[in-house]
Amino acid sequence: MEEEENRKDIPAFWVDYMQDGKMEKLHALDCIQSHGEYGACLPGEGAGVEFEYIIGVELKPGCQAPEAFSVRVLPAATYAVFSTPPSDRKDFVGNIQGMWRYVFQQWLPASGYEYDEGKVDFEYYDERSMGDKNLVCDLYIPVKKKKE
């Protein structure tokens, strides 16, 4: 997150994922629950500036992912969920990043909640995220009540 590199690196990661066949390979698996995708920020080393970003899908219960794929289990948490405003494809990334800014700069400070460090925040992309118009994605932010 230093110098907001994540605002460039994450969209570039998605472009690579969608253009080089990784998306098709992932969605061709028989064991996926749905075609919704998760973009998750896993806590990394350091004081909140490093994290691992992954793109994934939910597996059907009891299903094993092929060895070529990494499996992560997201820990249970209490989430505040935000939907981005509908946008055209060209504005989608900006709206997602704008919603992240809103959550951390405006909503959290005024909410009575705080970010639950050590938990996983993620974006969820479902059928509303497909196409070229009226695109929406959901942000799941792990929260806990502020201590008084």
Side-chain angles (χ1 to χ4, degrees), residues 5 12-13 19 21-22 31 71 85 90 95 106 112 120 122 124 133 141 144:
E5 290 177 34
F13 186 53
Q19 290 181 349
K22 290 178 185 145
C31 61
V71 175
K90 66 179 175 55
N95 277 350
Q106 295 178 29
V120 177
F122 60 91
Y124 181 64
K133 295 184 182 289
I141 312 300
K144 59 186 177 182

Side-chain angles (χ1 to χ4, degrees), residues 107-145:
W107 186 83
L108 269 173
S111 70
Y113 289 90
E114 61 187 355
Y115 184 79
D116 194 353
E117 295 283 340
K119 300 294 182 175
V120 177
D121 58 60
F122 60 91
E123 301 153 348
Y124 181 64
Y125 300 89
D126 58 15
E127 65 279 350
R128 298 168 302 150
S129 306
M130 307 301 160
D132 292 319
K133 295 184 182 289
N134 297 317
L135 304 177
V136 174
C137 113
D138 295 327
L139 309 183
Y140 285 72
I141 312 300
V143 295
K144 59 186 177 182
K145 286 272 193 191

Side-chain angles (χ1 to χ4, degrees), residues 71-93:
V71 175
R72 301 290 196 284
V73 176
L74 304 184
T78 298
Y79 285 99
V81 182
F82 301 85
S83 296
T84 61
S87 66
D88 292 341
R89 174 73 47 206
K90 66 179 175 55
D91 298 323
F92 195 38
V93 170

Side-chain angles (χ1 to χ4, degrees), residues 6 15-16 33 51 55 65 69 72 110 114 129:
N6 57 315
V15 167
D16 179 61
Q33 185 74 20
F51 59 89
I55 298 172
F69 293 90
R72 301 290 196 284
E114 61 187 355
S129 306

